[in-house]
Amino acid sequence: MRTRIAAVLVVAAVALVHAGDAKLTEFIRLYDKELTACKKDLAGLVKVKDRGTPLAADASVAADLAIIDASLKVQETYCTDVAAALDVARADPKATYKSLGKQLDDKDRIVRADRKASKKALADTEPVIKRLVPRINAMAGSAAPTPAKKTPGTFPSGRTVDLPALAGTWSVSGSATTDIAEYAEANVTSTVTVKAFTGATCDQQKKQLAGKFTLEDRTIESLAAEKPAFVAGYRTGKASAERVVVVACIAKKDGGVLATSDTPAAQSLATTTAIQGVMVAMIAAF
């Protein structure tokens, strides 16, 4: 069984349905699942490397970090190649598995080799991580905790949230019933919109969305306290500029709150996770 190094909140990408081609749909579903798992392992390795680097003056730690770094490169290649296979599969919604057969077979051969290399690399790093984690924890315990930097955001409605300090910049806007947070980095923009609605139900909201997109139900662990009526996701846009949209609806006595997170599919997992956290905080502020 593959070792899972760290649990991170992931809002998984949703497979586009290719009508009438179950084989291609299944290919996308399985590769989406594989990409999510690959990114989890990659995030875990990055986390251990980042936290272990301050101890690198110790020669034994430096040697262990070199092993982790080598594993990181293997995992990065693996994730990139799985994503490339998905790009081919999703490039044309009207395509069939048969029409893409040669391209997908070529990609699959590459991914099979990556999969094998990843399994070995993760097995090699497992004892390294077991050695490093106690030292990392000891270092963390001896240092004074540093609060995570946050930027206070106040919407025109008067509601406020703490926006995580990321590499890009945040801006807020909206109205009495709608709060909008926008994050811009390297000419790419992500948005979170949370709005109250009346005279309708979350069921009706979901039916409206389902009429426009292929939805797949999702779970966001940090939304548990808000008890969402549904959390769904879908993809939109062409492969080169594809975006992942996640919608959550919280039922209220006279209607509800509809929250939407719209992020680039190519955005880093850490940034996407942080933006999802902002969505959760904005819902809680209503």
Side-chain angles (χ1 to χ4, degrees):
M1 182 180 292
R2 294 182 59 184
T3 301
R4 286 290 167 265
I5 298 169
V8 294
L9 174 62
V10 178
V11 178
V14 180
L16 293 174
V17 172
H18 291 253
D21 196 327
K23 191 172 181 180
L24 186 54
T25 299
E26 181 66 2
F27 178 95
I28 292 173
R29 186 187 73 80
L30 291 174
Y31 265 61
D32 262 331
K33 185 177 180 180
E34 186 163 1
L35 183 58
T36 297
C38 181
K39 286 182 175 180
K40 283 183 180 180
D41 285 336
L42 180 60
L45 289 168
V46 169
K47 185 176 181 179
V48 174
K49 181 184 176 182
D50 288 348
R51 293 188 177 184
T53 297
L55 300 169
D58 184 314
S60 64
V61 173
D64 281 346
L65 288 173
I67 295 172
I68 288 176
D69 199 46
S71 185
L72 261 172
K73 290 182 173 65
V74 171
Q75 203 67 17
E76 285 171 349
T77 299
Y78 178 26
C79 293
T80 298
D81 289 341
V82 174
L86 281 167
D87 284 343
V88 171
R90 286 195 171 104
D92 181 2
K94 296 180 181 179
T96 63
Y97 190 92
K98 185 176 180 180
S99 68
L100 297 174
K102 186 179 184 308
Q103 295 178 69
L104 294 179
D105 285 348
D106 289 343
K107 295 294 184 185
D108 188 59
R109 276 193 292 273
I110 294 170
V111 170
R112 284 176 185 273
D114 289 341
R115 196 179 292 137
K116 184 177 180 180
S118 170
K119 185 176 180 180
K120 182 181 183 306
L122 291 175
D124 290 344
T125 56
E126 186 172 2
V128 172
I129 290 169
K130 285 180 178 179
R131 287 195 297 269
L132 278 178
V133 167
R135 300 187 66 171
I136 291 170
N137 289 342
M139 177 184 67
S142 64
T146 302
K149 293 181 179 179
K150 294 182 179 180
T151 303
T154 302
F155 298 98
S157 65
R159 289 179 286 269
T160 62
V161 295
D162 286 332
L163 301 169
L166 301 174
T169 56
W170 288 98
S171 61
V172 296
S173 59
S175 64
T177 58
T178 302
D179 293 342
I180 302 170
E182 185 174 278
Y183 175 72
E185 180 181 352
N187 298 319
V188 177
T189 301
S190 300
T191 58
V192 178
T193 303
V194 181
K195 61 181 180 181
F197 63 87
T198 57
T201 66
C202 283
D203 238 14
Q204 291 171 324
Q205 296 286 358
K206 189 173 185 179
K207 285 178 182 176
Q208 287 182 10
L209 286 167
K212 299 177 183 178
F213 307 99
T214 299
L215 298 180
E216 183 170 310
D217 290 340
R218 293 293 172 192
T219 299
I220 299 179
E221 293 175 6
S222 52
L223 265 176
E226 302 300 326
K227 298 180 181 178
F230 74 83
V231 182
Y234 59 88
R235 281 179 175 263
T236 184
K238 295 182 179 179
S240 58
E242 197 172 28
R243 300 183 70 83
V244 175
V245 180
V246 175
V247 183
C249 189
I250 313 298
K252 301 286 186 181
K253 186 176 180 181
D254 56 346
V257 175
L258 192 69
T260 304
S261 166
D262 183 344
T263 59
Q267 187 167 251
S268 75
L269 180 63
T271 300
T272 298
T273 300
I275 290 170
Q276 294 295 333
V278 169
M279 182 177 77
V280 174
M282 287 170 65
I283 292 172
F286 264 77

